[in-house]
Amino acid sequence: MKNKEAKTILSTQHLSIGYEDKVVAQNIELNIKKGELVAVIGVNGSGKSTLLKTIIKELTPIAGNVFLEEVAIENISAKEISEKISIVLTETHFSKNLSVKELVSLGRQPYSNWLGILTSKDKVAVQNALNLIAVQDLAHKKCSDLSDGQLQKVMLARALAQNTPLIMLDEPTTHLDLYHKAFVFKMLKKLSKTTQKAIVFATHEIDLALQLCDQIILVNNGKVIQQTPENLIKEKHLEHLFPSDLIQFDSISKSFKIKS
Amino acid sequence: MKNLTTYLWLGIFILILATLLNISLGSVSIPLDEIVKSIFHLEVSKESWQYIILEYRLPKAFTAILVGSGLALSGLLMQTLFRNPLAGPYVLGLSSGASLGVALVIMGSSLFGGIAAGLFLSKWTLVIASSIGSFLVLLAILGASFKIKDTMALLIIGLMFASLTSAVVSVLSYFSPSQQLQQYIFWSFGSLGNLSWAEVGILFLFWLSGIILSIFCIKNLNSLLLGEQYAKSLGTNLKQNRFLVIFATSLLAGSITAFAGPIAFIGLAVPHLVRQIIPSSNHLVLVPAVILGGAILMLICDSIAQIPGSELTLPINAITSIIGAPVVIWLLVRKKKLMF
């Protein structure tokens, strides 16, 4: 609204997502701009992952198209996508033998030569990423010695080193306590503003997302809506998100309450 | 980086020492200066000494270097590809395929009647039988690798191949006369010692192609340390990489098994030993380190198998495990963690 000129990083047109035998959602129109923090919310099994997987080209759209910086992703090679989208996953099944610096350096792979040797430019990018997340003190530690929260930060630093206009995170706050959840949200918010990257993340923390995000993508009952948090509440989209027997959305406190 | 170059030179130095040690041991004792003279074709006091060194001990030492480094590298490739610290060069069933080939030739001859019974004793028959065996398993695995999306499923298919072939070998053994059975068991002990220079040359060609292929996989192997999804997001072509890695492993482990028999343990243990010493997970560092480490460990194991001061030689396949297993157990107890 305030920034109509900002560059669009990710958009979709008439997008339908799903699998061969099952359509998950239809007619999705998204438009995510530079510097925006966007949360993807929805109940379990609503199709959040399907949507994210379609955007990173792991699934092909059933109909319509996904555009990265105005270019249809069907025309972008896997190699080029690695320079546009970086990801942070929930799973932590990577080699814990890696040192933090080695792990963050792997983010430079799309830019390094066939042997993966880092240039001085790559090394600067790695150092910047470590500094941005404030994990430079951990640089020489092994991942096996880190806590869950630290690992999450390091993986985010890796995504930053990849230097893509879009960063996608899959439930970045699972396994974290409330304080650290808020911490991660704040950090993502700050990063989206300082680096001007678009940051899209799937989350179950609807309360926090409503407070902090610029845009919300609501995935519910085969429909996908993108709105600002204010409009989402005003248009009462959240009222029917969950079955109404147990919890109810309270638009004054912007949070869900348990029915008495 | 400076630190790593020191490790490299230290490794090369130890490799040379281990080679000299290996050559100087054997059933005939030859003084060290005479050994060096023989290698450089200088005047030697006894002509038989020169013959022993040049035609027997040197090819054996070279074989040990090729076998040790090749198996260790295959082990590293498999551990990273399957992201499993228990993987080794034979997880895909290459050695079982080779065993089946050899078992069919040695023991099958007595069962199905000798069409060319005399032929079966030749060494080349065993080499060819074992190559065909591992090649068929390789084809099956590569075929599966195109169909299957999940790398773990591939690992299980490899294990299934292994049990399948060992079952067939058991059935064959059950019906075989003791003489053939013994011949098969001797093959399964492994042996570095009976290769001529020409055969070492052939093994070297396979080894070299395997190493070169692996070098092209280095960058992708690094990205695989993060897991397949991350690797993909970094632009890695997963299927192509999987094909290359399996192909390189088959070239290395397949040719080694064909010429030296199945040799246990080196492939599994060396990558872990190297990871304890070298402070890096980058395959650019690990690949040369594992090659050096494998060669050194194999030379040492072979030197021990000679039993210094005696005329006996122990089966190399047993020695690698007897020496190596306690080392890995010790490392695990000390570090408490085995990571890939």
Side-chain angles (χ1 to χ4, degrees), chain B:
Chain B
M1 251 359 223
K2 240 178 219 163
N3 207 357
L4 293 174
T5 345
T6 325
Y7 278 116
L8 182 68
W9 286 115
L10 192 68
I12 292 173
F13 179 67
I14 297 176
L15 178 66
I16 294 170
L17 276 190
T19 314
L20 277 177
L21 172 78
N22 186 267
I23 297 171
S24 63
L25 293 174
S27 48
V28 181
S29 72
I30 306 174
L32 196 65
D33 56 323
E34 301 285 332
I35 289 169
V36 177
K37 277 184 198 164
S38 322
I39 295 172
F40 293 104
H41 291 269
L42 299 170
E43 198 70 15
V44 185
S45 1
K46 271 196 200 169
E47 213 168 284
S48 63
W49 285 356
Q50 183 157 28
Y51 183 80
I52 290 175
I53 296 291
L54 288 184
E55 295 303 317
Y56 184 71
R57 290 192 192 169
L58 262 188
K60 184 163 69 86
F62 267 102
T63 312
I65 291 174
L66 295 181
V67 167
S69 54
L71 288 178
L73 179 57
S74 323
L76 176 70
L77 293 180
M78 290 293 102
Q79 285 173 9
T80 306
L81 181 70
F82 292 114
R83 303 188 314 107
N84 188 328
L86 280 177
Y90 295 134
V91 288
L92 292 179
L94 286 174
S95 71
S96 342
S99 312
L100 183 62
V102 170
L104 276 176
V105 167
I106 296 179
M107 303 193 279
S109 66
S110 66
L111 294 182
F112 308 115
I115 309 162
L119 225 157
F120 290 133
L121 297 171
S122 125
K123 181 173 60 187
W124 278 103
T125 327
L126 294 188
V127 169
I128 291 167
S130 126
S131 310
I132 292 177
S134 19
F135 184 71
L136 288 180
V137 171
L138 162 71
L139 275 189
I141 294 285
L142 282 183
S145 87
F146 278 113
K147 285 239 157 155
I148 291 173
K149 225 181 152 195
D150 183 9
T151 312
M152 289 309 147
L154 210 57
L155 187 66
I156 294 168
I157 289 177
L159 290 174
M160 291 299 115
F161 267 119
S163 6
L164 195 67
T165 47
S166 71
V168 176
V169 172
S170 303
V171 171
L172 281 172
S173 320
Y174 184 73
F175 289 108
S176 288
S178 60
Q179 198 197 340
Q180 261 93 3
L181 197 58
Q182 196 185 28
Q183 207 186 348
Y184 172 75
I185 288 173
F186 268 118
W187 175 82
S188 69
F189 283 154
S191 143
L192 302 171
N194 44 19
L195 266 68
S196 69
W197 277 116
E199 288 153 357
V200 174
I202 295 173
L203 181 57
F204 176 74
L205 282 183
F206 278 100
W207 180 87
L208 192 66
S209 358
I211 301 274
I212 291 173
L213 271 181
S214 317
I215 291 173
F216 280 100
C217 297
I218 284 178
K219 183 174 176 181
N220 289 342
L221 288 171
N222 282 335
S223 74
L224 270 182
L225 288 175
L226 292 174
E228 295 198 342
Q229 261 187 297
Y230 278 116
K232 205 175 165 195
S233 83
L234 286 165
T236 304
N237 186 336
L238 292 179
K239 276 199 171 177
Q240 188 196 41
N241 179 59
R242 189 159 69 182
F243 176 84
L244 277 181
V245 170
I246 293 176
F247 194 55
T249 304
S250 313
L251 279 179
L252 290 166
S255 62
I256 288 167
T257 314
F259 281 101
I263 291 188
F265 192 79
I266 295 279
L268 169 71
V270 171
H272 291 301
L273 295 175
V274 164
R275 281 192 201 98
Q276 305 290 342
I277 301 169
I278 306 284
S280 172
S281 296
N282 190 341
H283 285 76
L284 201 56
V285 178
L286 283 181
V287 166
V290 157
I291 289 175
L292 274 174
I296 293 170
L297 191 62
M298 198 70 210
L299 282 168
I300 294 175
C301 286
D302 184 53
S303 308
I304 295 170
Q306 299 298 331
I307 317 185
S310 122
E311 289 188 12
L312 270 174
T313 311
L314 295 174
I316 187 68
N317 198 1
I319 292 299
T320 48
S321 302
I322 289 176
I323 305 302
V327 174
V328 169
I329 292 172
W330 173 71
L331 278 175
L332 277 179
V333 171
R334 207 175 58 115
K335 286 262 182 177
K336 296 192 174 80
K337 240 176 205 169
L338 200 59
M339 293 176 286
F340 59 88

Side-chain angles (χ1 to χ4, degrees), chain A residues 76-112:
Chain A
I76 308 179
S77 72
K79 177 81 185 53
E80 288 166 320
I81 285 194
S82 70
E83 297 176 17
K84 304 256 182 245
I85 307 179
S86 51
I87 59 171
V88 178
L89 304 169
T90 343
E91 60 140 339
T92 50
H93 290 301
F94 52 91
S95 167
K96 301 290 189 303
N97 206 21
L98 284 162
S99 77
V100 169
K101 195 162 189 179
E102 282 177 320
L103 188 141
V104 176
S105 302
L106 284 176
R108 298 304 295 173
Q109 277 221 345
Y111 311 96
S112 60

